[in-house]
Amino acid sequence: MECQEEKPIIYTMENKPIVTCAGDQGLFTSLYTSLAQQLPREPMEWRRTYGRAPKMIHLEANFVQFKEELLPKEGNKALLTFPFLHIYWTDCCDTEAYKSSVKEDMMRWHNSLRAHSSPDWVIIVVETNDTKKKNKTNILPRSSIVDKIRSDFCNKQNDRCVVLSDPLKDSSRSQESWNSLLLKLRTLLLMSFTKNLGHFEDDMRTLREKRTQPGWSFCEYFMVQEELAFVFEMLQQFEDALVQYDELDALFTQYVLNFGAGDTANWLGSFCAPVQNWSGLLLRRPIDMEKRDGIQRGEASLLDLRSYLFSRQCTLLIFLQRPWEVTQRALELLHNCVQELRLLEVSVLEGALDCWVFLSCLEVLHRIEGCCDQAQLAANCSHTVGLWAYATDKLKSLGELCGLVSEKGPTSEDLNRTVDLLAGLGDERPETVHSLQSPYKKLKEALSSVEAFERHYLELSHAAMEMYTAIGRLRSARLVGKSLAEFYMRKGEPENAETFLREALKSYVSEGWSLPVTHTRKQIAECQKLLGKTEDYLQTSALLAGDVNLTTEERKHFCQEILTFAAKSGEESHKVTLSMSVFAQLLRLQFHPATASVHSGAKLQVELTLRSLMPKSVHIQQVAASIHFDVDHGGTHGRSKGAQRQTHPGTVEFNQGNSSGGHPSSSSAGPALELDEMHDRSPSDNSLNSAGVVCKNTHLLLRLHESNSPTDTPNCLSPPVTMTEGAQMLKVQDTTLEPGDNSIIFTAPSDQPGTYTLRQLCATVGQVQFVLPHIYPSVQYEVYSQEPQLTVEPLSEPLLAGLPQLVKFTLLTGHYTVKKGVALQLSNTDTMPILPSTSCIARISNPAAELVGESVLSIQSSEKVTSISLPPTPPYHTLEFQLEVLCIIPSGSDRAANERLTNGEVRHRPRSYSHPDTPMTAIDQRMSIDCPWSIYSTLLALTFYIPFKTKHSLLSADNRKYIQVCVQNVSDVNFMLAEVNLTEKQHASLELQSLNTKTQQLLCSKHSVFCLWEVRWKDDLPSCLQCVFSANFSLLNQESSAFKPFHYQFQLERVTTLYSVKAEILPPAGEQHCRSGFLCGLEVCITRLTEPAEETDTDGPRTIKLMYEVADSSSNWAVCGKSSGLVSMPLKANATHKVQIEVMPLFAGHLPFPKIKVSKYLPHTAAVAIQPDPDSCVENDSLSLLDKTLDDQADTASIRSRGSVHSVGSGDQQQKGVAMPRLEPFCPGQVFNHSYAQQVLVLPTTDDHIMEVNAT
């Protein structure tokens, strides 16, 4: 127990707020244990000033015996030694004892507190049963003693006197008393703590605001604010304690930065003293009292202040369980300290800072390892790897400084420097004396010998690289590896350095760091030269010779290295193959001619544009391009390959981002795809079975990115490339490449037909070959051997039938030579004759479409064949001529027997059909042509279009008959019609009188012309007429000789008028005219005009049943009652039947008569297969009727004609052959309706209306 004697304050987190105890010390001693245990059990809400968030804290106390020396003196601001609460303990219950001794002692205690302005006190009166029994005669009630104490000392603060009842008993009353006492103590202690801490913060803030005044000392302020941090740490408020140290850190840093900017402070002079000790951070103690005392005395150096400040921050961060923040802050501290020493211009021995940084890094790492297990360290190596790398770098600097890296070892001067550095470390600290892996021992051992240094340096370097690789920071790992390579180079071990330099170069190239790429390549070149790797050295030299980051002299030096090796004779060296991309860039490839497609034997030139990357002129012995030849069977033997031949670009531009164009961008993911088409053809007939795409550089695209071989890019060291020996090559001898763009022209082979693909490019300079292994995009040209092709096409669209039309014949000779006497044999047809011509000119043009000659064709025609003699024509030329043909318009007459073409094939008559794209009717005319270069005949088809559509109709006027022909022009041109005529072929007595007055008529596009003839006969009118319409036509404004005939045949059947229908509308009785809304009478008279031409069976009926229907589609009339019915008409001339029907006009005016329709009715009693009578026109045309006789339906509702075939009964009955009643309409002209266009006057209904008119 700490109440017996005073002990010195130790600044640790175990400090507690001081509470003094006066009065009965034996009583307090008996209650101390319970009080000390129960006080911190319940948390209290601590409400702080300045709006800071409240916190829940557990209050503990350091109970000490009251002494007046413990009371704070004037000006003493130490919080750790400040008594926050004073307690007076008493169990007095005797009035005499209270008056004689207790009151007097209590008065002295109270006066002493008042004299030192200590208002935080409390009097605790302990009540026990034992005390009552001892003083039973002289005691007063406990309340009387408490009241006396309160009246004597607590007049205005009655809560400062607390009663504790039976504290040593286990009862509810005792527990309740304890809870009340503990709550009171916590409350008073927290109030005192808050008040005094607030005063301390105000004083500290006032002191900080005086920092601009002369004489202000940062060290004094540091001790004050650290006192506040200690208090927070004492309350286990580590976050608030850390904030105090961070504020001190920031304040000191700002002063250092201001000093660097010229704003000096007097107190900074003590921190500018030369550094005498660089022993590193000390994190194994909670508080480094040695450095704290130095700060308090103002004798600490910059490194001492920073070390002590960081050690306190580290301790608090570990208490907060944030060890990884320690590593982050440590790395920032180490870098900042180096800069602050430079800003303050502090004198430091060379290498001392490296020692301090190295020791500090290892000290932080050991401190973290002490509070974390191996699994946590491995999972969070991203936080510690920076310290490993920094320690590695500083150890390397120390090794270079002390001569431990050179090949010869350290000199005497280096040894003296090492002794001075080790002397500045001082003695090893007691905390690490027994540790075998302490930072002090590691540094001392590393600087002791070359072998020990190398072992420690390699250990740290590999550890850092492994950590960087594990967390995916390959760039940082390769940077450490590059530093390791420099170490090996200094040691004279280039074989170990090259691997690390290659890895670093890979990283720089992928990220596009041009200057580090150049620097690293120079180091690699040095390694390769020392190792004797000639081919790799030349490759790297070529890269450096074309690197614009180097000076011109350096580039010329590396270029001369290549030329020197190339100039060696074959006995002294072997040939070396390098990548073309390090030597020159392929910019453009251009074909002449630009089509990149020529026939076999033609001249083809290929022009390459190369950009030399070398800084000086280079003489090239040979530039060669390998060619892959693919035999194109389709182009050699195909019949139509020329029209379908693939076109290749005449000029190919190479993007600088792909492998053919030099330096790619750093972001390129790899080589570009090289795709080629693949065809699978049948060996029998060379037909295409399948087609596909194949990738030609799969080995480059699918290789591992993390392989040991570097990427195949010009910016990185490339693997050896070779020139594939091809069967054919493009070669140019002895040329000079100047710096910049150069043009090289090759003559390409074109002997064999097929596809030629440029695969590789090679430039030979003595013993060195620069090879471009893949030319991409793919560059191809085609050499074709084409079969002769004959095409026939219209000279203008569309071809019109009936008029002479020009047809263009085009012959592509291909590899065939047309000699004198060669002729084309064309089959003649009567539907499309070839018109003779004496001035048919043939034009001959070369492949460039230039006219080279003209000749008059010799055309000879026979009955079946037309022979056309062709002029002599060289191969791969075009022969063109035009012939005039005429397609006869079919008239619809009987077709002749099928003819045969010249090849023996049956030639079918052309049939007209409707074309979906034009209203004109199309006719396909086929032609057979025998060519001398082929054993097969060529079948060609031409499509002609008939410009006319012709329709006919029969018109009747009672017994008189008229025939009307309509000619419609459906083409887009205008015609002139002449000599229009109509004849009948079978009846000579029949006369067709023309009613057309004009001999010639204009027939415009999309218009029609109507022609009319009256039919006259002597005896009887034939029932069937065979008519032929003929006319001559020509294009508008043509000569009379240009007219061509046109015929149209048609047949008219049942032209005789059988029945005459007359109608009359009778007004209502007493009325002269019909009125709307009144019933009128409609009288229909049906008369038979002729007798049947054929005799009927005597047993059969001599009557025929007719059905009439009255309907008004225009809604002018309302048919009342029966609107249809059946009449029985005798089959004899002049037989008449009248029908009365009531109708009602719905409107006034001249109304047309209702429509009257007469049809022939076939009853259901007739046979299923009835022979048509002479009057019938359409068979199986019926009406939907009820399955019963309609003779008895005089009063049925009106029956409407449907105009289509409908039978009564189900479909099953029809399938079984059950006869159903049906209607058969008459043919046009068999029934003549006299009232078809007749009108009747209908008056409106009489009605009187009153109309009001206002006149103003």
Side-chain angles (χ1 to χ4, degrees):
M1 188 178 65
E2 301 177 13
C3 59
Q4 300 298 327
E5 59 180 348
E6 182 181 1
K7 295 182 179 180
I9 299 297
I10 300 176
Y11 294 96
T12 64
M13 64 167 290
E14 285 134 9
N15 290 334
K16 301 172 185 178
I18 296 177
V19 177
T20 65
C21 297
D24 190 347
Q25 294 299 317
L27 175 63
F28 168 70
T29 302
S30 64
L31 300 176
Y32 170 74
T33 303
S34 299
L35 183 62
Q37 291 177 354
Q38 296 187 48
L39 182 64
R41 284 184 181 176
E42 296 294 333
M44 292 292 290
E45 184 180 26
W46 183 23
R47 295 185 177 273
R48 304 180 61 189
T49 57
Y50 299 106
R52 287 173 283 191
K55 295 184 178 181
M56 302 299 292
I57 62 174
H58 293 265
L59 289 173
E60 296 183 85
N62 182 14
F63 295 96
V64 299
Q65 184 177 355
F66 175 78
K67 293 181 181 180
E68 193 170 351
E69 293 80 7
L70 294 176
L71 296 177
K73 307 297 188 294
E74 186 68 27
N76 185 5
K77 299 179 181 180
L79 285 177
L80 292 180
T81 59
F82 183 84
F84 290 96
L85 185 61
H86 306 274
I87 303 176
Y88 190 92
W89 297 86
T90 181
D91 61 351
C92 177
C93 61
D94 186 2
T95 308
E96 296 299 329
Y98 171 73
K99 291 180 180 180
S100 61
S101 60
V102 175
K103 180 178 180 181
E104 184 179 354
D105 185 60
M106 194 178 297
M107 186 65 70
R108 285 195 302 270
W109 170 76
H110 190 266
N111 291 334
S112 178
L113 295 179
R114 184 180 297 177
H116 290 84
S117 301
S118 298
D120 302 311
W121 53 270
V122 65
I123 299 173
I124 301 176
V125 180
V126 180
E127 175 187 351
T128 61
N129 292 330
D130 296 337
T131 308
K132 292 179 181 180
K133 293 176 181 180
K134 288 179 182 180
N135 304 300
K136 188 172 184 182
T137 58
N138 297 322
I139 64 172
L140 291 173
R142 178 64 56 187
S143 59
S144 300
I145 296 297
V146 173
D147 291 340
K148 283 184 176 295
I149 295 175
R150 287 177 179 172
S151 63
D152 293 337
F153 300 98
C154 311
N155 291 330
K156 298 180 180 180
Q157 297 174 316
N158 292 332
D159 59 338
R160 294 302 179 98
C161 182
V162 181
V163 177
L164 179 61
S165 301
D166 296 327
L168 300 179
K169 288 186 178 182
D170 187 9
S171 63
S172 60
R173 183 171 178 269
S174 174
Q175 187 63 39
E176 183 180 353
S177 179
W178 266 113
N179 292 339
S180 177
L181 172 64
L182 292 173
L183 179 59
K184 177 59 68 175
L185 289 180
R186 292 188 193 111
T187 303
L188 293 175
L189 186 58
L190 187 59
M191 290 173 58
S192 175
F193 187 81
T194 304
K195 178 181 62 176
N196 290 283
L197 189 62
H199 294 328
F200 185 87
E201 288 181 327
D202 292 338
D203 295 339
M204 184 189 71
R205 197 175 295 107
T206 302
L207 180 61
R208 184 172 57 194
E209 291 172 356
K210 295 179 180 180
R211 63 185 180 276
T212 57
Q213 298 179 5
W216 186 86
S217 173
F218 175 79
C219 294
E220 294 179 5
Y221 176 75
F222 181 92
M223 305 309 294
V224 173
Q225 189 159 0
E226 190 185 27
E227 185 83 13
L228 180 62
F230 283 150
V231 172
F232 285 125
E233 186 178 0
M234 178 178 65
L235 296 175
Q236 297 187 6
Q237 301 300 309
F238 305 118
E239 190 69 47
D240 291 331
L242 182 62
V243 169
Q244 308 309 314
Y245 287 109
D246 290 344
E247 289 180 356
L248 289 171
D249 190 353
L251 181 62
F252 185 78
T253 301
Q254 188 61 50
Y255 271 105
V256 174
L257 294 177
N258 293 342
F259 182 88
D263 185 8
T264 61
N266 295 332
W267 55 268
L268 273 174
S270 62
F271 296 101
C272 296
V275 177
Q276 302 296 334
N277 182 280
W278 41 87
S279 57
L281 297 174
L282 177 59
L283 305 180
R284 300 169 192 262
R285 301 175 187 171
I287 299 178
D288 190 348
M289 295 303 299
E290 181 182 351
K291 288 186 173 59
R292 187 177 189 278
D293 292 341
I295 296 173
Q296 190 171 13
R297 295 191 303 268
E299 300 174 357
S301 65
L302 176 67
L303 293 183
D304 291 338
L305 175 65
R306 283 299 187 185
S307 299
Y308 176 76
L309 192 56
F310 181 77
S311 66
R312 295 296 301 136
Q313 291 172 323
C314 174
T315 301
L316 294 171
L317 286 171
I318 291 178
F319 285 152
L320 290 170
Q321 297 183 356
R322 288 150 57 182
W324 312 119
E325 191 174 340
V326 174
T327 60
Q328 178 186 351
R329 288 177 175 239
L331 202 57
E332 295 175 359
L333 168 75
L334 299 178
H335 286 286
N336 291 338
C337 281
V338 175
Q339 299 301 323
E340 288 175 352
L341 289 172
R342 293 176 182 173
L343 286 175
L344 296 178
E345 300 177 358
V346 178
S347 176
V348 184
L349 180 66
E350 186 180 7
L353 271 182
D354 295 335
C355 291
W356 184 78
V357 171
F358 177 80
L359 292 173
S360 299
C361 288
L362 295 188
E363 177 70 12
V364 174
L365 291 172
H366 287 180
R367 184 70 180 90
I368 298 301
E369 290 174 359
C371 63
C372 299
D373 55 24
Q374 291 299 323
Q376 290 177 318
L377 291 173
N380 294 274
C381 61
S382 59
H383 299 91
T384 59
V385 65
L387 293 173
W388 285 102
Y390 202 16
T392 304
D393 185 57
K394 291 305 176 183
L395 184 61
K396 177 188 174 184
S397 299
L398 288 172
E400 294 173 352
L401 184 64
C402 299
L404 301 174
V405 181
S406 62
E407 298 181 23
K408 300 179 181 180
T411 61
S412 58
E413 182 181 355
D414 296 331
L415 293 175
N416 292 333
R417 187 180 294 112
T418 303
V419 171
D420 293 339
L421 290 176
L422 294 177
L425 300 179
D427 296 331
E428 188 172 5
R429 293 156 182 168
E431 292 84 0
T432 61
V433 169
H434 302 290
S435 175
L436 299 178
Q437 295 294 327
S438 66
Y440 182 88
K441 290 186 177 67
K442 279 191 175 182
L443 180 60
K444 198 169 183 179
E445 182 182 359
L447 298 181
S448 62
S449 65
V450 175
E451 294 77 10
F453 172 81
E454 182 174 353
R455 184 178 71 256
H456 284 285
Y457 177 69
L458 293 180
E459 179 185 350
L460 290 175
S461 298
H462 287 293
M465 284 193 295
E466 289 176 2
M467 292 182 187
Y468 276 131
T469 305
I471 63 177
R473 293 178 56 180
L474 297 180
R475 184 194 302 127
S476 299
R478 290 167 179 170
L479 187 61
V480 176
K482 189 172 183 292
S483 178
L484 193 58
E486 295 173 356
F487 167 76
Y488 282 123
M489 290 295 293
R490 285 178 175 268
K491 295 277 294 181
E493 300 176 9
E495 64 277 3
N496 295 328
E498 186 183 12
T499 303
F500 295 107
L501 291 174
R502 283 180 179 272
E503 290 297 320
L505 180 62
K506 184 187 300 183
S507 178
Y508 296 146
V509 168
S510 63
E511 297 173 9
W513 300 98
S514 60
L515 290 177
V517 165
T518 304
H519 180 261
T520 308
R521 279 190 180 141
K522 289 177 64 178
Q523 294 175 314
I524 292 177
E526 183 181 356
C527 290
Q528 293 169 343
K529 190 172 184 179
L530 293 174
L531 294 173
K533 296 182 177 181
T534 304
E535 191 167 338
D536 292 340
Y537 175 66
L538 293 177
Q539 179 85 359
T540 309
S541 298
L543 285 167
L544 293 171
D547 197 330
V548 295
N549 292 321
L550 295 177
T551 63
T552 304
E553 295 301 323
E554 289 178 309
R555 294 177 60 191
K556 288 183 178 179
H557 164 72
F558 287 108
C559 181
Q560 189 60 43
E561 291 283 298
I562 301 173
L563 297 180
T564 302
F565 177 84
K568 294 181 180 179
S569 62
E571 299 176 357
E572 299 177 6
S573 64
H574 63 282
K575 281 189 175 293
V576 174
T577 302
L578 304 179
S579 173
M580 170 72 76
S581 57
V582 304
F583 175 72
Q585 295 176 357
L586 178 58
L587 299 181
R588 187 183 306 104
L589 188 146
Q590 189 171 2
F591 288 98
H592 303 286
T595 57
S597 179
V598 297
H599 60 80
S600 57
K603 181 180 180 181
L604 178 67
Q605 289 185 334
V606 182
E607 180 180 357
L608 292 182
T609 302
L610 283 177
R611 176 174 294 172
S612 175
L613 303 177
M614 297 295 103
K616 56 190 296 186
S617 300
V618 179
H619 179 70
I620 308 296
Q621 279 75 27
Q622 176 180 283
V623 180
S626 67
I627 297 177
H628 173 75
F629 174 66
D630 183 17
V631 178
D632 192 353
H633 297 283
T636 306
H637 305 291
R639 297 176 54 82
S640 60
K641 181 67 178 178
Q644 302 173 357
R645 187 170 58 247
Q646 181 181 0
T647 59
H648 301 281
T651 302
V652 180
E653 299 285 345
F654 295 95
N655 185 1
Q656 300 308 305
N658 47 42
S659 59
S660 65
H663 297 277
S665 62
S666 61
S667 61
S668 59
L673 284 172
E674 293 188 16
L675 302 178
D676 197 5
E677 59 181 349
M678 178 179 62
H679 300 283
D680 179 20
R681 297 184 177 275
S682 173
S684 59
D685 56 356
N686 198 36
S687 62
L688 183 64
N689 293 334
S690 63
V693 177
V694 61
C695 179
K696 298 185 293 185
N697 60 340
T698 311
H699 62 290
L700 297 178
L701 296 170
L702 299 183
R703 68 181 180 181
L704 296 177
H705 293 288
E706 295 298 329
S707 60
N708 293 329
S709 62
T711 55
D712 188 15
T713 58
N715 277 342
C716 197
L717 298 178
S718 301
V721 291
T722 58
M723 180 72 175
T724 304
E725 292 296 333
Q728 301 189 53
M729 306 278 286
L730 302 180
K731 295 182 181 180
V732 171
Q733 306 291 337
D734 294 327
T735 184
T736 301
L737 289 185
E738 301 290 340
D741 295 350
N742 299 267
S743 179
I744 302 175
I745 298 178
F746 299 94
T747 299
S750 59
D751 299 332
Q752 300 181 13
T755 302
Y756 294 78
T757 304
L758 275 67
R759 289 291 176 85
Q760 295 177 312
L761 187 65
C762 176
T764 303
V765 183
Q767 300 298 316
V768 180
Q769 287 185 333
F770 295 96
V771 177
L772 180 62
H774 306 283
I775 297 179
Y776 187 83
S778 180
V779 179
Q780 294 180 335
Y781 69 90
E782 183 183 6
V783 177
Y784 58 88
S785 176
Q786 184 181 347
E787 292 290 332
Q789 299 178 22
L790 177 64
T791 58
V792 180
E793 56 186 355
L795 195 62
S796 62
E797 290 286 352
L799 292 175
L800 296 179
L803 294 176
Q805 301 288 294
L806 289 176
V807 177
K808 180 181 178 181
F809 287 72
T810 303
L811 173 61
L812 302 177
T813 58
H815 63 82
Y816 182 77
T817 301
V818 180
K819 300 179 180 179
K820 185 176 182 180
V822 172
L824 299 178
Q825 305 293 330
L826 279 69
S827 60
N828 292 336
T829 61
D830 55 352
T831 58
M832 191 187 69
I834 299 175
L835 303 181
S837 175
T838 57
S839 60
C840 184
I841 305 298
R843 299 175 180 270
I844 304 173
S845 56
N846 60 13
E850 299 174 351
L851 184 65
V852 297
E854 292 184 350
S855 177
V856 178
L857 291 178
S858 173
I859 302 176
Q860 298 179 356
S861 298
S862 63
E863 181 180 358
K864 293 186 177 181
V865 177
T866 297
S867 177
I868 303 174
S869 298
L870 302 179
T873 308
Y876 299 102
H877 280 59
T878 303
L879 176 65
E880 297 179 345
F881 59 91
Q882 299 174 6
L883 294 181
E884 197 172 30
V885 297
L886 176 65
C887 176
I888 305 299
I889 299 177
S891 61
S893 60
D894 295 337
R895 296 168 184 169
N898 290 327
E899 303 173 356
R900 292 187 178 271
L901 301 175
T902 56
N903 60 353
E905 181 182 348
V906 175
R907 189 191 72 82
H908 300 281
R909 289 282 180 169
R911 299 182 62 182
S912 60
Y913 59 92
S914 297
H915 198 278
D917 298 331
T918 176
M920 294 186 289
T921 303
I923 303 177
D924 289 336
Q925 295 286 356
R926 297 177 63 192
M927 174 190 303
S928 173
I929 304 178
D930 290 340
C931 305
W933 54 82
S934 175
I935 61 175
Y936 303 101
S937 296
T938 302
L939 295 179
L940 300 176
L942 294 175
T943 301
F944 290 84
Y945 296 91
I946 301 176
F948 306 123
K949 281 189 176 180
T950 310
K951 298 184 294 184
H952 66 277
S953 60
L954 177 66
L955 306 179
S956 300
D958 202 1
N959 284 329
R960 301 177 69 179
K961 299 294 181 179
Y962 300 87
I963 299 177
Q964 177 182 273
V965 177
C966 174
V967 181
Q968 181 184 4
N969 181 7
V970 292
S971 67
D972 295 327
V973 296
N974 298 329
F975 293 98
M976 184 66 71
L977 287 182
E979 300 179 11
V980 178
N981 189 26
L982 182 65
T983 58
E984 207 282 331
K985 298 192 298 183
Q986 293 183 351
H987 305 87
S989 61
L990 199 68
E991 179 185 356
L992 298 177
Q993 183 178 356
S994 176
L995 302 180
N996 307 303
T997 57
K998 296 181 179 180
T999 58
Q1000 291 188 354
Q1001 297 189 52
L1002 175 63
L1003 182 55
C1004 297
S1005 173
K1006 312 303 180 186
H1007 286 67
S1008 301
V1009 169
F1010 292 88
C1011 303
L1012 188 64
W1013 286 266
E1014 182 180 358
V1015 182
R1016 294 180 179 273
W1017 63 90
K1018 294 182 179 179
D1019 298 331
D1020 293 326
L1021 178 64
S1023 61
C1024 182
L1025 300 180
Q1026 297 289 339
C1027 301
V1028 178
F1029 171 79
S1030 62
N1032 294 333
F1033 71 98
S1034 69
L1035 296 175
L1036 190 62
N1037 300 325
Q1038 294 287 326
E1039 298 179 358
S1040 59
S1041 60
F1043 279 89
K1044 299 298 178 181
F1046 168 64
H1047 298 278
Y1048 171 66
Q1049 296 186 16
F1050 59 92
Q1051 179 177 331
L1052 296 175
E1053 296 182 352
R1054 297 180 178 87
V1055 299
T1056 306
T1057 304
L1058 300 179
Y1059 295 96
S1060 171
V1061 178
K1062 295 181 180 180
E1064 183 179 2
I1065 296 179
L1066 303 176
E1071 295 289 341
Q1072 187 177 1
H1073 297 285
C1074 296
R1075 291 185 180 274
S1076 62
F1078 289 86
L1079 290 176
C1080 301
L1082 175 62
E1083 184 179 83
V1084 179
C1085 181
I1086 303 175
T1087 304
R1088 172 80 183 196
L1089 300 180
T1090 61
E1091 294 186 358
E1094 299 179 4
E1095 293 294 336
T1096 58
D1097 192 0
T1098 54
D1099 296 336
R1102 294 296 297 172
T1103 61
I1104 186 173
K1105 288 186 178 182
L1106 302 179
M1107 181 176 180
Y1108 66 90
E1109 293 180 88
V1110 178
D1112 184 28
S1113 59
S1114 58
S1115 300
N1116 292 325
W1117 299 88
V1119 181
C1120 302
K1122 187 175 62 173
S1123 63
S1124 61
L1126 294 178
V1127 297
S1128 182
M1129 182 66 67
L1131 291 177
K1132 63 179 181 178
N1134 299 322
T1136 303
H1137 190 90
K1138 292 184 178 181
V1139 177
Q1140 297 288 337
I1141 301 173
E1142 289 184 342
V1143 296
M1144 177 187 293
L1146 302 179
F1147 303 99
H1150 290 277
L1151 301 183
F1153 274 46
K1155 182 179 179 181
I1156 303 171
K1157 181 180 179 182
V1158 178
S1159 303
K1160 183 164 58 174
Y1161 174 76
L1162 299 178
H1164 64 280
T1165 56
V1168 177
I1170 302 178
Q1171 294 295 330
D1173 67 290
D1175 297 342
S1176 64
C1177 176
V1178 179
E1179 298 183 7
N1180 297 327
D1181 186 8
S1182 59
L1183 182 68
S1184 177
L1185 300 173
L1186 297 177
D1187 190 12
K1188 60 180 179 176
T1189 307
L1190 292 183
D1191 295 336
D1192 303 331
Q1193 295 181 348
D1195 297 330
T1196 59
S1198 61
I1199 300 176
R1200 310 286 183 179
S1201 174
R1202 307 301 184 201
S1204 60
V1205 179
H1206 293 284
S1207 297
V1208 178
S1210 64
D1212 295 337
Q1213 291 175 332
Q1214 289 185 1
Q1215 292 177 2
K1216 296 177 182 179
V1218 179
M1220 304 299 296
R1222 64 184 185 277
L1223 294 178
E1224 285 188 2
F1226 289 99
C1227 292
Q1230 287 188 308
V1231 177
F1232 180 72
N1233 192 346
H1234 290 266
S1235 62
Y1236 184 75
Q1238 192 173 353
Q1239 293 180 339
V1240 62
L1241 177 61
V1242 177
L1243 300 178
T1245 305
T1246 304
D1247 195 2
D1248 297 329
H1249 296 277
I1250 299 175
M1251 180 175 61
E1252 295 182 1
V1253 179
N1254 294 328
T1256 59

